Amino acid sequence: MIKDNIKIIREGKIKKNKYIVYWMQAAQRVENNPALNYAIQKANEIEVPLFVFFNLTDNFPDANYRHYYFMLEGLKEVEEKLKNKDIKFIIKTGDVTKNITALSKKAVMLVTDRGYLKVIREWKKKIAELIDCRFLMVNTNTIVPVDIVSDKEEYAAYTIRKKVMNKIDRFIDVCNNNYKLENKSVELNFEGVKLDNIDKVINNLDIDISAKPSKFFTGGRSEAVKRLEYFMNNKLIKYEEYGSNPDQDCTSKLSPYLHFGQISPHYIYKRIKKSKIKADSFIEQLVVRRELSFNFIYYNKNYDNSLKNILPDWAYKSLMEHIEDKREFNYSLKDLENYETHDEYWNTAQKEMVLSGYMNGYMRMYWGKKILEWTNNPQKAFDIALYLNNKYLLDGRDPNGYTGVAWIFGKHDRAWKERKIFGKVRYMNKNGLDRKFNMDKYLKKVSKLG
DNA sequence: ATCGGCTCGCGCAA
DNA sequence: TGCGCGAAGCCGAT
């Protein structure tokens, strides 16, 4: 295990006690899970049993029926896979701080995976103050840990590219699979939530049910691997040319699985490399763009709220200089949410997201640029875009999502020719879509969704 | 169809 | 200090 891949959240002696707990949160998988591996190794070394714990929190910000359903499908697979390894898996509802604190009382140490969202980091900080055993986390969801890549918020992709690419080799092998637990019997005096019936589990949660589960995505690691193999065999070779093209279907669609940690980026990277297919532009997405997103939300605590503190000065200043510019169209959240604008391409993109939980990458840019154009205040536009993004996309509430929305407003981008509303922030329009793509084909594709 | 200019600032070469 | 260049562009000139 590589030292740099582990972070001690709370020091503390390793106590003589009943068990080790792996609190699974960001890495919802059994395979290629460095945190699980670490916990198993430690349990064997100290000669204690181990169990895996998952806290099913019903007040996770912006998470709704759609997200919970996909997540629980994935957790059901985790349950089966752990059972095959004779590792006990306990899911509990309720307050995460209380639950983890209670479990820690009999724990030799507490191991968790590394989530980067503010809400997760705050949970851990709070828990660290309440417990008295050792508490550490293992990096699982990026290949290179964000603070090893860089010690500051990066300006753009070109400033982070070298920093991350030349560290991949150091971390790529942390996710091996062949760890076996030796002490298997754990005595626990409580029962966890059963996952046999996902609908029943969801009915018992107090969550927003307005976004229904996606018919086009099934959660779980095996589904993710299936998609990866299909992508490699059929799409990867064309990815560089057609990957961003809305009239093609040329992407991996692995982002929801990566979001929930159902598949490891290390595994994807290795699998792609092993295929020997030239995949520079896919690796650019998987590694450079992805690590840039994590860098942004790790070093900028305003990632979900204040444009003033998110954007480079030139972009914020420029948008503000145009705040009084007349907007030709001005839509309410309801108009947008129900895809009722004058713009058929925009409506289609929004519809794709609402119906499927996914939106084509290029259309995500166009979609966001129009929200900026049609809203009388950039901050309001940012809030609306983030709200819709997080509500409907299965990969919403992800570092990539926050970064993608910020990009619309100039983050990680450069200045362009001055124009109305946008100022120097990059502009996009319908002509660009018509020029580059067969948009009728995209419209037809989405109309088939329902 | 293709191309240059637009415009800012980081990082690196010198 | 100067220079090259950057997530996916736009627009007008040729």
Side-chain angles (χ1 to χ4, degrees), chain A residues 372-408:
Chain A
L372 168 56
E373 188 177 338
W374 300 336
T375 308
N376 57 17
N377 176 318
Q379 180 64 50
K380 202 171 135 199
F382 178 81
D383 295 343
I384 289 173
L386 209 49
Y387 169 81
L388 294 172
N389 183 85
N390 288 356
K391 177 169 177 181
Y392 291 107
L393 290 176
L394 277 169
D395 58 30
R397 306 171 300 117
D398 188 86
N400 281 310
Y402 291 108
T403 308
V405 172
W407 180 86
I408 301 297

Tab-separated table of all heavy atoms in Angstrom, chain A residues 372-408:
chain	number	residue	atom	x	y	z
A	372	LEU	N	-27.280	30.725	-19.462
A	372	LEU	CA	-26.610	32.011	-19.196
A	372	LEU	C	-27.216	33.127	-20.065
A	372	LEU	O	-27.509	34.219	-19.582
A	372	LEU	CB	-25.104	31.870	-19.447
A	372	LEU	CG	-24.245	33.139	-19.497
A	372	LEU	CD1	-24.384	33.965	-18.221
A	372	LEU	CD2	-22.776	32.796	-19.726
A	373	GLU	N	-27.426	32.829	-21.325
A	373	GLU	CA	-27.939	33.838	-22.259
A	373	GLU	C	-29.374	34.265	-21.948
A	373	GLU	O	-29.746	35.411	-22.162
A	373	GLU	CB	-27.862	33.272	-23.691
A	373	GLU	CG	-28.189	34.291	-24.772
A	373	GLU	CD	-28.023	33.712	-26.178
A	373	GLU	OE1	-27.295	32.714	-26.341
A	373	GLU	OE2	-28.640	34.261	-27.105
A	374	TRP	N	-30.171	33.347	-21.412
A	374	TRP	CA	-31.606	33.603	-21.227
A	374	TRP	C	-31.977	33.997	-19.801
A	374	TRP	O	-33.164	34.023	-19.474
A	374	TRP	CB	-32.413	32.350	-21.594
A	374	TRP	CG	-32.248	31.879	-23.008
A	374	TRP	CD1	-31.869	32.627	-24.096
A	374	TRP	CD2	-32.468	30.545	-23.494
A	374	TRP	NE1	-31.828	31.841	-25.214
A	374	TRP	CE2	-32.201	30.558	-24.879
A	374	TRP	CE3	-32.860	29.348	-22.899
A	374	TRP	CZ2	-32.305	29.423	-25.674
A	374	TRP	CZ3	-32.980	28.220	-23.691
A	374	TRP	CH2	-32.704	28.252	-25.071
A	375	THR	N	-30.991	34.210	-18.968
A	375	THR	CA	-31.292	34.541	-17.576
A	375	THR	C	-30.707	35.919	-17.281
A	375	THR	O	-29.599	36.223	-17.721
A	375	THR	CB	-30.693	33.485	-16.634
A	375	THR	OG1	-31.117	32.193	-17.069
A	375	THR	CG2	-31.145	33.694	-15.203
A	376	ASN	N	-31.457	36.744	-16.558
A	376	ASN	CA	-31.024	38.139	-16.434
A	376	ASN	C	-29.888	38.359	-15.446
A	376	ASN	O	-29.451	39.474	-15.255
A	376	ASN	CB	-32.220	39.040	-16.105
A	376	ASN	CG	-32.914	38.590	-14.829
A	376	ASN	OD1	-32.351	37.832	-14.034
A	376	ASN	ND2	-34.141	39.042	-14.631
A	377	ASN	N	-29.404	37.290	-14.852
A	377	ASN	CA	-28.327	37.443	-13.884
A	377	ASN	C	-27.473	36.180	-13.899
A	377	ASN	O	-28.001	35.081	-13.706
A	377	ASN	CB	-28.984	37.670	-12.520
A	377	ASN	CG	-27.987	37.743	-11.388
A	377	ASN	OD1	-27.041	36.967	-11.322
A	377	ASN	ND2	-28.212	38.667	-10.493
A	378	PRO	N	-26.170	36.313	-14.163
A	378	PRO	CA	-25.305	35.132	-14.290
A	378	PRO	C	-25.326	34.224	-13.057
A	378	PRO	O	-25.314	32.995	-13.184
A	378	PRO	CB	-23.915	35.730	-14.499
A	378	PRO	CG	-24.154	37.074	-15.077
A	378	PRO	CD	-25.441	37.558	-14.474
A	379	GLN	N	-25.383	34.833	-11.878
A	379	GLN	CA	-25.413	34.005	-10.671
A	379	GLN	C	-26.687	33.160	-10.625
A	379	GLN	O	-26.666	31.987	-10.266
A	379	GLN	CB	-25.319	34.889	-9.417
A	379	GLN	CG	-25.332	34.116	-8.103
A	379	GLN	CD	-24.116	33.206	-7.932
A	379	GLN	OE1	-22.980	33.629	-8.096
A	379	GLN	NE2	-24.347	31.931	-7.616
A	380	LYS	N	-27.798	33.784	-11.030
A	380	LYS	CA	-29.062	33.058	-11.079
A	380	LYS	C	-28.982	31.935	-12.117
A	380	LYS	O	-29.463	30.819	-11.891
A	380	LYS	CB	-30.194	34.045	-11.423
A	380	LYS	CG	-31.565	33.586	-11.002
A	380	LYS	CD	-32.574	34.727	-11.175
A	380	LYS	CE	-33.840	34.213	-11.824
A	380	LYS	NZ	-34.649	35.301	-12.416
A	381	ALA	N	-28.354	32.240	-13.236
A	381	ALA	CA	-28.190	31.231	-14.287
A	381	ALA	C	-27.362	30.051	-13.764
A	381	ALA	O	-27.681	28.884	-14.011
A	381	ALA	CB	-27.504	31.845	-15.507
A	382	PHE	N	-26.318	30.371	-13.024
A	382	PHE	CA	-25.476	29.321	-12.438
A	382	PHE	C	-26.289	28.447	-11.484
A	382	PHE	O	-26.224	27.218	-11.526
A	382	PHE	CB	-24.303	29.979	-11.695
A	382	PHE	CG	-23.387	29.013	-10.993
A	382	PHE	CD1	-22.408	28.333	-11.699
A	382	PHE	CD2	-23.502	28.790	-9.621
A	382	PHE	CE1	-21.553	27.434	-11.058
A	382	PHE	CE2	-22.658	27.899	-8.978
A	382	PHE	CZ	-21.681	27.220	-9.694
A	383	ASP	N	-27.086	29.093	-10.642
A	383	ASP	CA	-27.894	28.336	-9.679
A	383	ASP	C	-28.899	27.420	-10.393
A	383	ASP	O	-29.088	26.275	-9.988
A	383	ASP	CB	-28.650	29.298	-8.745
A	383	ASP	CG	-27.694	30.106	-7.866
A	383	ASP	OD1	-26.521	29.706	-7.736
A	383	ASP	OD2	-28.119	31.147	-7.341
A	384	ILE	N	-29.518	27.936	-11.447
A	384	ILE	CA	-30.494	27.138	-12.194
A	384	ILE	C	-29.812	25.951	-12.878
A	384	ILE	O	-30.273	24.815	-12.802
A	384	ILE	CB	-31.221	28.011	-13.250
A	384	ILE	CG1	-32.179	28.990	-12.558
A	384	ILE	CG2	-31.992	27.136	-14.243
A	384	ILE	CD1	-32.814	30.009	-13.492
A	385	ALA	N	-28.702	26.225	-13.533
A	385	ALA	CA	-27.997	25.161	-14.259
A	385	ALA	C	-27.562	24.051	-13.287
A	385	ALA	O	-27.706	22.862	-13.567
A	385	ALA	CB	-26.788	25.728	-14.998
A	386	LEU	N	-27.066	24.470	-12.143
A	386	LEU	CA	-26.612	23.490	-11.156
A	386	LEU	C	-27.781	22.685	-10.590
A	386	LEU	O	-27.685	21.467	-10.399
A	386	LEU	CB	-25.881	24.228	-10.032
A	386	LEU	CG	-24.786	23.461	-9.309
A	386	LEU	CD1	-23.815	22.808	-10.278
A	386	LEU	CD2	-24.039	24.402	-8.376
A	387	TYR	N	-28.885	23.378	-10.357
A	387	TYR	CA	-30.076	22.702	-9.842
A	387	TYR	C	-30.539	21.609	-10.808
A	387	TYR	O	-30.773	20.461	-10.408
A	387	TYR	CB	-31.187	23.736	-9.612
A	387	TYR	CG	-32.545	23.117	-9.337
A	387	TYR	CD1	-32.868	22.657	-8.065
A	387	TYR	CD2	-33.485	22.983	-10.362
A	387	TYR	CE1	-34.108	22.072	-7.822
A	387	TYR	CE2	-34.715	22.394	-10.131
A	387	TYR	CZ	-35.025	21.945	-8.854
A	387	TYR	OH	-36.244	21.356	-8.624
A	388	LEU	N	-30.667	21.962	-12.075
A	388	LEU	CA	-31.151	20.985	-13.071
A	388	LEU	C	-30.135	19.860	-13.259
A	388	LEU	O	-30.486	18.681	-13.341
A	388	LEU	CB	-31.429	21.680	-14.404
A	388	LEU	CG	-32.584	22.691	-14.398
A	388	LEU	CD1	-32.646	23.447	-15.718
A	388	LEU	CD2	-33.920	21.989	-14.117
A	389	ASN	N	-28.877	20.241	-13.337
A	389	ASN	CA	-27.791	19.268	-13.486
A	389	ASN	C	-27.821	18.231	-12.358
A	389	ASN	O	-27.777	17.024	-12.590
A	389	ASN	CB	-26.462	20.038	-13.462
A	389	ASN	CG	-25.243	19.158	-13.678
A	389	ASN	OD1	-24.859	18.877	-14.798
A	389	ASN	ND2	-24.639	18.698	-12.589
A	390	ASN	N	-27.951	18.728	-11.140
A	390	ASN	CA	-27.886	17.828	-9.993
A	390	ASN	C	-29.157	17.004	-9.797
A	390	ASN	O	-29.113	15.904	-9.265
A	390	ASN	CB	-27.586	18.627	-8.718
A	390	ASN	CG	-26.162	19.121	-8.692
A	390	ASN	OD1	-25.375	18.797	-9.589
A	390	ASN	ND2	-25.814	19.899	-7.690
A	391	LYS	N	-30.248	17.555	-10.251
A	391	LYS	CA	-31.512	16.853	-10.060
A	391	LYS	C	-31.670	15.692	-11.052
A	391	LYS	O	-32.120	14.614	-10.689
A	391	LYS	CB	-32.678	17.836	-10.222
A	391	LYS	CG	-34.050	17.169	-10.104
A	391	LYS	CD	-35.153	18.208	-9.993
A	391	LYS	CE	-36.526	17.541	-9.943
A	391	LYS	NZ	-37.610	18.539	-9.847
A	392	TYR	N	-31.333	15.929	-12.291
A	392	TYR	CA	-31.686	14.940	-13.324
A	392	TYR	C	-30.553	14.032	-13.777
A	392	TYR	O	-30.808	12.923	-14.247
A	392	TYR	CB	-32.290	15.651	-14.537
A	392	TYR	CG	-33.642	16.232	-14.227
A	392	TYR	CD1	-33.827	17.592	-14.074
A	392	TYR	CD2	-34.738	15.387	-14.045
A	392	TYR	CE1	-35.077	18.122	-13.767
A	392	TYR	CE2	-35.989	15.899	-13.742
A	392	TYR	CZ	-36.153	17.265	-13.597
A	392	TYR	OH	-37.396	17.773	-13.287
A	393	LEU	N	-29.332	14.496	-13.683
A	393	LEU	CA	-28.244	13.651	-14.191
A	393	LEU	C	-27.834	12.614	-13.155
A	393	LEU	O	-27.678	12.929	-11.978
A	393	LEU	CB	-27.025	14.509	-14.547
A	393	LEU	CG	-27.177	15.416	-15.761
A	393	LEU	CD1	-25.939	16.283	-15.927
A	393	LEU	CD2	-27.437	14.598	-17.027
A	394	LEU	N	-27.644	11.403	-13.616
A	394	LEU	CA	-27.144	10.374	-12.700
A	394	LEU	C	-25.719	10.677	-12.276
A	394	LEU	O	-25.272	10.231	-11.228
A	394	LEU	CB	-27.219	8.992	-13.360
A	394	LEU	CG	-28.589	8.326	-13.258
A	394	LEU	CD1	-28.650	7.104	-14.156
A	394	LEU	CD2	-28.906	7.935	-11.812
A	395	ASP	N	-25.002	11.429	-13.118
A	395	ASP	CA	-23.663	11.851	-12.690
A	395	ASP	C	-23.676	13.284	-12.151
A	395	ASP	O	-22.652	13.945	-12.109
A	395	ASP	CB	-22.648	11.695	-13.828
A	395	ASP	CG	-23.036	12.489	-15.071
A	395	ASP	OD1	-23.692	13.534	-14.938
A	395	ASP	OD2	-22.687	12.063	-16.180
A	396	GLY	N	-24.851	13.753	-11.745
A	396	GLY	CA	-24.928	15.066	-11.102
A	396	GLY	C	-24.305	14.995	-9.713
A	396	GLY	O	-23.962	13.922	-9.230
A	397	ARG	N	-24.147	16.121	-9.101
A	397	ARG	CA	-23.560	16.213	-7.754
A	397	ARG	C	-22.142	15.656	-7.719
A	397	ARG	O	-21.661	15.232	-6.684
A	397	ARG	CB	-24.436	15.486	-6.718
A	397	ARG	CG	-25.885	15.967	-6.737
A	397	ARG	CD	-26.772	15.094	-5.878
A	397	ARG	NE	-26.759	13.723	-6.332
A	397	ARG	CZ	-26.315	12.700	-5.602
A	397	ARG	NH1	-25.875	12.885	-4.387
A	397	ARG	NH2	-26.318	11.485	-6.106
A	398	ASP	N	-21.515	15.650	-8.876
A	398	ASP	CA	-20.170	15.112	-9.006
A	398	ASP	C	-19.201	16.267	-9.261
A	398	ASP	O	-19.607	17.289	-9.805
A	398	ASP	CB	-20.169	14.166	-10.220
A	398	ASP	CG	-18.872	13.396	-10.362
A	398	ASP	OD1	-18.769	12.331	-9.725
A	398	ASP	OD2	-17.963	13.858	-11.080
A	399	PRO	N	-17.946	16.113	-8.852
A	399	PRO	CA	-16.966	17.156	-9.184
A	399	PRO	C	-17.029	17.567	-10.659
A	399	PRO	O	-16.970	18.752	-10.984
A	399	PRO	CB	-15.632	16.494	-8.851
A	399	PRO	CG	-15.964	15.552	-7.747
A	399	PRO	CD	-17.357	15.058	-8.025
A	400	ASN	N	-17.185	16.584	-11.528
A	400	ASN	CA	-17.289	16.898	-12.958
A	400	ASN	C	-18.483	17.783	-13.273
A	400	ASN	O	-18.421	18.624	-14.158
A	400	ASN	CB	-17.418	15.611	-13.783
A	400	ASN	CG	-16.088	14.938	-13.981
A	400	ASN	OD1	-15.128	15.579	-14.386
A	400	ASN	ND2	-16.020	13.674	-13.667
A	401	GLY	N	-19.586	17.567	-12.557
A	401	GLY	CA	-20.781	18.362	-12.778
A	401	GLY	C	-20.575	19.809	-12.344
A	401	GLY	O	-20.894	20.738	-13.086
A	402	TYR	N	-20.038	19.991	-11.152
A	402	TYR	CA	-19.792	21.347	-10.665
A	402	TYR	C	-18.821	22.075	-11.596
A	402	TYR	O	-18.988	23.261	-11.891
A	402	TYR	CB	-19.236	21.314	-9.236
A	402	TYR	CG	-20.263	20.844	-8.234
A	402	TYR	CD1	-20.177	19.591	-7.639
A	402	TYR	CD2	-21.338	21.657	-7.903
A	402	TYR	CE1	-21.136	19.150	-6.743
A	402	TYR	CE2	-22.309	21.225	-7.004
A	402	TYR	CZ	-22.198	19.967	-6.429
A	402	TYR	OH	-23.156	19.543	-5.554
A	403	THR	N	-17.832	21.351	-12.071
A	403	THR	CA	-16.830	21.967	-12.936
A	403	THR	C	-17.408	22.271	-14.315
A	403	THR	O	-17.159	23.341	-14.878
A	403	THR	CB	-15.607	21.042	-13.065
A	403	THR	OG1	-15.171	20.694	-11.746
A	403	THR	CG2	-14.477	21.735	-13.799
A	404	GLY	N	-18.206	21.350	-14.822
A	404	GLY	CA	-18.823	21.573	-16.122
A	404	GLY	C	-19.707	22.802	-16.114
A	404	GLY	O	-19.676	23.616	-17.044
A	405	VAL	N	-20.491	22.959	-15.067
A	405	VAL	CA	-21.370	24.119	-14.971
A	405	VAL	C	-20.543	25.402	-14.821
A	405	VAL	O	-20.817	26.411	-15.478
A	405	VAL	CB	-22.383	23.966	-13.816
A	405	VAL	CG1	-23.159	25.251	-13.589
A	405	VAL	CG2	-23.352	22.813	-14.110
A	406	ALA	N	-19.485	25.349	-14.028
A	406	ALA	CA	-18.636	26.537	-13.860
A	406	ALA	C	-17.959	26.921	-15.182
A	406	ALA	O	-17.765	28.107	-15.473
A	406	ALA	CB	-17.590	26.294	-12.768
A	407	TRP	N	-17.620	25.920	-15.989
A	407	TRP	CA	-16.963	26.183	-17.284
A	407	TRP	C	-17.815	27.063	-18.191
A	407	TRP	O	-17.305	27.926	-18.910
A	407	TRP	CB	-16.651	24.855	-17.980
A	407	TRP	CG	-15.973	25.028	-19.305
A	407	TRP	CD1	-14.631	25.176	-19.529
A	407	TRP	CD2	-16.612	25.109	-20.598
A	407	TRP	NE1	-14.398	25.331	-20.882
A	407	TRP	CE2	-15.586	25.295	-21.558
A	407	TRP	CE3	-17.935	25.036	-21.025
A	407	TRP	CZ2	-15.860	25.414	-22.922
A	407	TRP	CZ3	-18.210	25.164	-22.392
A	407	TRP	CH2	-17.174	25.339	-23.320
A	408	ILE	N	-19.129	26.845	-18.118
A	408	ILE	CA	-20.065	27.644	-18.903
A	408	ILE	C	-19.810	29.139	-18.693
A	408	ILE	O	-19.924	29.944	-19.594
A	408	ILE	CB	-21.527	27.341	-18.447
A	408	ILE	CG1	-21.858	25.850	-18.609
A	408	ILE	CG2	-22.532	28.229	-19.140
A	408	ILE	CD1	-21.813	25.345	-20.003
